[in-house]
């Protein structure tokens, strides 16, 4: 029998940035982890003398943070990274992305695309991601294989998608999927009607009923483009937010993605209904969609997390990048350097993201009792020296490649830049092979034959 103070893992030394409600930072700290749970976090000496670890990670010269949370992506779309850039959204979707999805996104492609996304996300310190796609079982399995925490949402639209005949079939499959994965330690299932303009109201209501039956999230794109708002007004006489309100589906188990074209009254309504938002500034900038009213949403008390969106519209999956972009974009938009501050955006990339996904009781901060999703950033790099303020360093200077070690649910998945759960060389080789097939048949196909952004 092992002694009572034995723990699986101890991170000793380094600056521990907890992101807890008191914003505690331990300049020479330590984190003790046992059976996937944080059992102690505090000053190094207090923790070190109390616990005897099975495994020890030297945290000296490192910044120790909760794992980053990517609240919105489409992981398999790493296969389309750089395939069709610099195009208007409608062209991009209808001429390139949707046809490519309908032709190439079989279960095998979803698996390799997701593993590539997982490798990239782990390398950049992302420990949780929320996804919307099809062939979601394969996506969930790949995420789990990579050792990541994920909320893969069963995506659907009004027309058939690979592996699903239409909304009715999609919802039946989504229910089976939710049942299969509920209770998994890493994968939290959910359901995703793509958007109010691609899914009929009654199917959005059905999806919400299903989500409520199992207590899972409903994940949906909302008010991404000005054109979408115009289209909804012409078709149903309401904006996307007011249409969802009319359908009676807005509540705290809804994750609304983008929310760029929302009015102040709609923001108030979203706060009242406690709808969460995934803010994806880089995708919004790249597709020229607009600037989401982040300050107004935060000011109203809306839970906002950060999302990368897919690698086809970003083109990377770095939440550190989104933290920086979110800050810079809002300062520029308001022509005010104090509009949004470093701690606020760092919080959005960690605890704020966990709150938006409804999993802040599990992850998002380094606190005793939470699951151990922890990352270490190497501070011994010229662009991170000197260090006056940890939040400034994370928000304005740190890069994805500074992440050195990643722990998810107490398991070390990357150690000193070496991925331990994935054969990265094989994953990249497989993706290059799929990309060769995509490249050889690049001619546009008819519109209306696939997916998601
Ligand atoms: Zn999206």
């Amino acid at each position: 029998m092992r002694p009572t103070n034995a723990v699986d893992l101890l991170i000793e030394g380094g600056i521990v940035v907890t992101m807890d409600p008191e914003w505690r930072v331990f300049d020479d700290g330590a984190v003790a982890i046992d059976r996937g749970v944080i059992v102690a976090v505090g000053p190094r000496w207090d923790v070190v003398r109390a616990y005897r670890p099975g495994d020890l990670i030297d945290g000296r010269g490192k910044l120790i943070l909760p794992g980053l949370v990517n609240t919105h992506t489409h992981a398999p779309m790493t296969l389309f990274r750089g395939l069709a850039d610099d195009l208007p959204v409608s062209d991009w979707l209808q001429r390139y992305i949707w046809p490519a999805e309908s032709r190439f996104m079989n279960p095998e492609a979803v698996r390799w695309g997701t593993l590539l996304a997982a490798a990239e996300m782990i390398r950049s310190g992302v420990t949780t991601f929320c996804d919307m796609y099809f062939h979601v079982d394969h996506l969930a399995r790949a995420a789990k294989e990579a050792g990541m925490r994920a909320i893969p949402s069963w995506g659907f639209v009004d027309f058939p998608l690979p592996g699903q005949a239409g909304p009715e079939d999609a919802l039946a499959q989504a229910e089976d999927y939710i049942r299969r994965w509920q209770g998994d330690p890493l994968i939290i299932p959910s359901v995703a009607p793509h958007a109010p303009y691609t899914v009929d109201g009654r199917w959005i209501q059905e999806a919400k009923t299903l989500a409520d039956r199992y207590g899972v999230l409903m994940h949906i794109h909302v008010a991404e483009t000005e054109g979408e708002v115009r289209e909804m007004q012409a078709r149903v006489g309401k904006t996307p937010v007011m249409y969802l309100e009319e359908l009676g589906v807005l509540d705290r188990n809804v994750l609304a993605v983008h929310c760029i074209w929302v009015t102040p009254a709609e923001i108030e309504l979203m706060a009242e209904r406690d709808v969460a938002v995934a803010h994806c500034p880089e995708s919004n900038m790249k597709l020229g969609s607009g600037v989401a009213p982040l300050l107004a949403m935060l000011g109203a008390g809306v839970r906002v997390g950060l999302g990368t969106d897919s690698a086809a519209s970003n083109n990377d999956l770095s939440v550190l990048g989104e933290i920086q972009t979110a800050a810079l974009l809002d300062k520029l938009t308001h022509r005010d350097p104090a509009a949004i501050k470093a701690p606020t955006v760092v919080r959005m990339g960690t605890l704020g993201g966990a709150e938006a996904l409804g999993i802040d009781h599990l992850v998002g901060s380094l606190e005793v009792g939470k699951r151990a999703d922890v990352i270490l950033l190497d501070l011994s790099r010229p662009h991170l020296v000197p260090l006056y303020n940890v939040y400034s360093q994370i928000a304005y200077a740190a890069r994805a490649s500074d992440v050195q070690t990643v722990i998810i649910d107490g398991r070390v998945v990357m150690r000193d830049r070496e991925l331990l759960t994935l054969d990265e060389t094989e994953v990249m080789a497989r993706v290059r092979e799929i990309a060769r097939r995509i490249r050889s048949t690049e001619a546009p196909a008819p519109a209306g034959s696939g997916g998601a952004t």
Side-chain angles (χ1 to χ4, degrees), residues 389-401:
N389 179 302
V390 288
Y391 303 109
S392 288
Q393 215 78 329
I394 298 162
Y396 305 128
R399 298 169 191 159
S401 55

Side-chain angles (χ1 to χ4, degrees), residues 72-74 132 194 221 224 257-258 280 283 309-310 313 452-453:
H72 179 70
T73 187
H74 311 276
M132 178 198 292
H194 171 264
H221 295 103
E224 180 178 6
V257 182
H258 301 306
C280 308
S283 173
D309 215 346
S310 85
S313 67
T453 76

Side-chain angles (χ1 to χ4, degrees), residues 285-298:
M285 291 166 75
K286 182 160 179 277
L287 294 175
S289 304
V291 181
L294 175 62
L295 291 185
M297 293 194 283
L298 290 174

Side-chain angles (χ1 to χ4, degrees), residues 267 293-305 330 340 344-345 348:
I267 293 171
L294 175 62
L295 291 185
M297 293 194 283
L298 290 174
V302 175
R303 291 172 289 136
V304 185
D330 259 54
I340 192 158
T344 306
V345 281
M348 284 170 57

Side-chain angles (χ1 to χ4, degrees), residues 30-63:
V31 182
I33 295 164
D34 196 48
R35 296 180 177 89
V37 174
I38 297 172
V39 294
V41 53
R44 183 173 65 91
W45 185 239
D46 291 355
V47 178
V48 166
R49 70 180 167 190
Y51 295 98
R52 282 199 278 154
D55 186 10
L56 186 70
I57 289 178
D58 186 356
R60 286 173 301 177
K62 311 288 187 300
L63 212 51

Side-chain angles (χ1 to χ4, degrees), residues 330-392:
D330 259 54
K331 290 168 190 289
L332 177 67
T333 305
H334 298 276
R335 294 191 193 167
D336 175 9
I340 192 158
K341 294 178 180 163
T344 306
V345 281
V346 173
R347 192 182 187 285
M348 284 170 57
T350 52
L351 187 59
E355 286 170 350
L357 299 179
I359 55 169
D360 50 305
H361 58 294
L362 291 177
V363 295
S365 58
L366 302 181
E367 294 180 77
V368 171
K370 283 199 176 182
R371 305 303 301 180
D373 290 5
V374 189
I375 63 173
L376 282 79
L377 271 71
D378 185 6
L379 290 170
S380 308
R381 304 195 169 205
H383 64 276
L384 296 179
V385 175
L387 175 59
Y388 296 114
N389 179 302
V390 288
Y391 303 109
S392 288

Side-chain angles (χ1 to χ4, degrees), residues 239 241-242 262-273 296 300:
T239 62
V241 171
M242 294 318 293
V262 290
T263 65
E266 288 172 338
I267 293 171
E268 283 305 320
L269 177 71
M270 285 159 62
E272 201 177 301
R273 298 276 178 263

